Amino acid sequence: MTEEFSINEIARLRDDTPGCSHVVHLNSAGASLMPQPVINAIQEHIKLEGNVGGYEAAALMEKQQSGFYDAAGRLLNTKAQNIAYTANATDAYTRALSSVLFKTGDIILTTDDDYVSNQINFLSMAKRFGTVTKRVKNAPGGGIDLDDLDKQLKELHPKLLSITHIPTNSGLVQPVEEIGAIVKKYDTLYLLDACQSAGQKPLDVEQLNCDFLSATARKFLRGPRGAGFLYVSDNALDLGLEPLFIDMRGADWVEKDKYLPRKDATRFEDWESACALLLGTKAAIEYSLNIGIDRIWARIKYLADYTRQKLQEIDELRLLDEGQELCSIITFTIPGFEAEAIKDKLASKKINVVTSYRIFAIIDYDKKGVQWAIRVSPHYFNLESEIDFFIEQLKLIIHKKR
Ligand SMILES: Cc1ncc(COP(=O)(O)O)c(C=O)c1O
């Protein structure tokens, strides 16, 4: 049993979060509210850079910066050497993708629910390298069919399996422990997009059996925008995988016609990066770890269930989330209404939600027969009373129009 959050603890966490006194923030799946220690870490480093110079500030903060790799390692149950700092989750993902030695006809196996930019990348790779994209069938209740995954891995020998743990556009959680156990039997490389799960639910790469895992700082980890990270397994490092555009951080140029890639995951980094954001990301990961990711996940699930239950009581509205396991991405549509107008009316009451459109998830939305959804994503710092206020305002919007 995980220890529940007390009222006092939630009050303290909200006090730590300046945004909580200004808005009802139900958009942690977009970008969450940063807590004060994260804001401080960023601001203090920028101030230091202003005072002593950028390179000089980095030298002064070397120890703290290396603490980022330890923190991310602890988050994912791996070593600091297996972590690379990146500009965002897509950057992490594409660096890993670019390291796979694809030949014409090689298969990338993915799902109907993989993230939009990953799907675009597969199409772009097909155009340039002649790779072929195949998709695992979905199970009747949503999420991938594990038997079909096994079958396709066995029959197609894909070069890469790409799974998005939690899609951006629905509350689905893919069964990644089971997926990891299946893919382990084959020599297919496995890239896991954990952008929405990092900070929302526990992640253990030893159990996940992935070769790469990509994540971002700003969502459920409550870090800054413009920062992310990549887990690179020992297997991927030992195979000599390296990003296509490796730079002087990832490798040493040792002779006119020769470079030597770094031994650890910094092989996947760029020389230039935002030190202040790296320190902010470190603070955000430590903040989450101090609270406890399993406790965070328990409260998030409670608040997501609470929100779904209240939404279900509104007849005009259609909830869209499907899957054996659901998370704190709650999506719904309201026939006869316009997404942007709903979002704007809620924003005028200081309630933050976002809109999601068919072009973000065409396979899923075509199956569901919808053009748009409103996405609501509470985090542990949200209160039931905030969700009640959101529901009350949503009802007013719907009933005023009728
Ligand atoms: C599932 C998923 N993967 C990847 C991304 C891309 O993350 P970033 O914007 O940090 O590149 C997102 C962003 O919303 C996402 O939801």
Side-chain angles (χ1 to χ4, degrees):
M1 269 296 280
T2 53
E3 190 201 330
E4 277 187 25
F5 286 73
S6 67
I7 292 172
N8 284 346
E9 185 179 9
I10 292 178
R12 186 177 54 73
L13 293 166
R14 289 177 64 81
D15 280 349
D16 240 6
T17 306
C20 282
S21 47
H22 303 286
V23 286
V24 172
H25 193 70
L26 300 174
N27 186 21
S28 286
S32 193
L33 294 175
M34 288 183 283
Q36 198 61 53
V38 173
I39 300 168
N40 291 347
I42 298 165
Q43 287 181 337
E44 280 163 18
H45 192 74
I46 296 285
K47 219 191 250 171
L48 187 64
E49 286 186 345
N51 286 338
V52 303
Y55 290 12
E56 294 73 13
L60 288 172
M61 295 296 282
E62 204 179 323
K63 196 159 156 255
Q64 286 86 337
Q65 289 189 67
S66 73
F68 157 77
Y69 299 89
D70 296 321
R74 275 194 289 139
L75 179 76
L76 302 176
N77 188 29
T78 188
K79 304 181 291 293
Q81 300 92 286
N82 294 94
I83 302 293
Y85 175 65
T86 62
N88 51 58
T90 307
D91 184 37
Y93 185 92
T94 51
R95 280 166 196 268
L97 188 63
S98 82
S99 76
V100 182
L101 304 173
F102 289 109
K103 295 188 307 300
T104 303
D106 277 346
I107 290 172
I108 297 174
L109 184 60
T110 187
T111 74
D112 287 352
D113 297 292
D114 253 52
Y115 184 58
V116 45
S117 299
N118 307 352
Q119 305 274 7
I120 293 170
N121 277 315
F122 305 146
L123 294 171
S124 157
M125 304 256 308
K127 213 159 48 169
R128 184 161 301 192
F129 301 115
T131 52
V132 177
T133 310
K134 298 276 184 190
R135 294 189 176 86
V136 183
K137 268 198 257 167
N138 266 0
I144 64 162
D145 178 330
L146 294 168
D147 292 334
D148 189 56
L149 170 70
D150 203 344
K151 182 167 172 279
Q152 297 215 43
L153 285 169
K154 194 183 295 166
E155 290 176 2
L156 300 177
H157 306 290
K159 192 86 168 209
L160 179 76
L161 172 68
S162 169
I163 300 282
T164 293
H165 191 178
I166 294 177
T168 206
N169 54 287
S170 82
L172 170 72
V173 182
Q174 294 283 17
V176 283
E177 277 81 14
E178 290 86 343
I179 292 170
I182 293 171
V183 74
K184 196 175 158 184
K185 301 190 288 178
Y186 304 95
D187 62 5
T188 294
L189 287 165
Y190 173 25
L191 169 52
L192 180 64
D193 174 341
C195 185
Q196 292 289 3
S197 46
Q200 186 171 181
K201 71 182 303 243
L203 292 170
D204 177 344
V205 292
E206 290 297 319
Q207 280 176 19
L208 293 166
N209 276 311
C210 51
D211 293 294
F212 296 101
L213 179 152
S214 53
T216 210
R218 72 183 182 281
K219 297 181 187 287
F220 286 92
L221 280 171
R222 307 185 61 201
R225 293 197 68 175
F229 52 97
L230 176 68
Y231 157 74
V232 186
S233 64
D234 286 339
N235 180 45
L237 291 171
D238 293 346
L239 285 170
L241 300 186
E242 59 188 50
L244 178 57
F245 298 110
I246 191 165
D247 88 346
M248 59 183 279
R249 165 85 173 159
D252 289 328
W253 190 26
V254 289
E255 283 171 39
K256 188 160 65 73
D257 297 319
K258 188 174 175 185
Y259 66 84
L260 288 177
R262 288 240 192 163
K263 294 216 176 330
D264 63 15
T266 54
R267 194 188 291 174
F268 284 78
E269 293 186 345
D270 272 347
W271 193 86
E272 175 56 6
S273 66
C275 301
L277 301 185
L278 177 141
L279 292 167
T281 305
K282 168 181 176 274
I285 296 173
E286 285 170 348
Y287 196 85
S288 298
L289 289 172
N290 283 342
I291 296 170
I293 307 279
D294 45 358
R295 297 179 68 226
I296 290 175
W297 177 226
R299 175 153 172 89
I300 275 182
K301 273 198 297 192
Y302 161 74
L303 288 174
D305 285 350
Y306 184 85
T307 310
R308 278 198 188 90
Q309 261 171 31
K310 299 265 168 187
L311 286 169
Q312 239 151 15
E313 291 164 12
I314 305 177
D315 290 340
E316 291 85 347
L317 172 157
R318 184 177 152 211
L319 271 172
L320 298 170
D321 306 322
E322 287 173 5
Q324 301 298 318
E325 187 179 24
L326 297 178
C327 67
S328 191
I329 291 187
I330 301 144
T331 59
F332 62 86
T333 194
I334 314 177
F337 283 77
E338 275 177 26
E340 224 54 37
I342 296 175
K343 189 193 98 178
D344 291 348
K345 282 187 182 137
L346 290 169
S348 73
K349 301 290 174 191
K350 302 210 175 327
I351 301 168
N352 296 343
V353 301
V354 288
T355 48
S356 173
Y357 291 97
R358 178 180 173 269
I359 55 162
F360 300 169
I362 57 171
I363 304 176
D364 186 43
Y365 281 18
D366 281 356
K367 251 189 271 174
K368 291 171 177 166
V370 291
Q371 291 294 324
W372 62 263
I374 298 283
R375 185 181 72 180
V376 183
S377 48
H379 211 330
Y380 59 80
F381 55 77
N382 286 118
L383 303 171
E384 289 93 328
S385 59
E386 290 184 305
I387 292 164
D388 294 343
F389 179 60
F390 152 67
I391 297 285
E392 185 188 300
Q393 292 304 315
L394 185 64
K395 281 182 180 164
L396 280 178
I397 295 168
I398 296 171
H399 296 140
K400 235 181 224 162
K401 192 178 169 203
R402 290 277 179 244

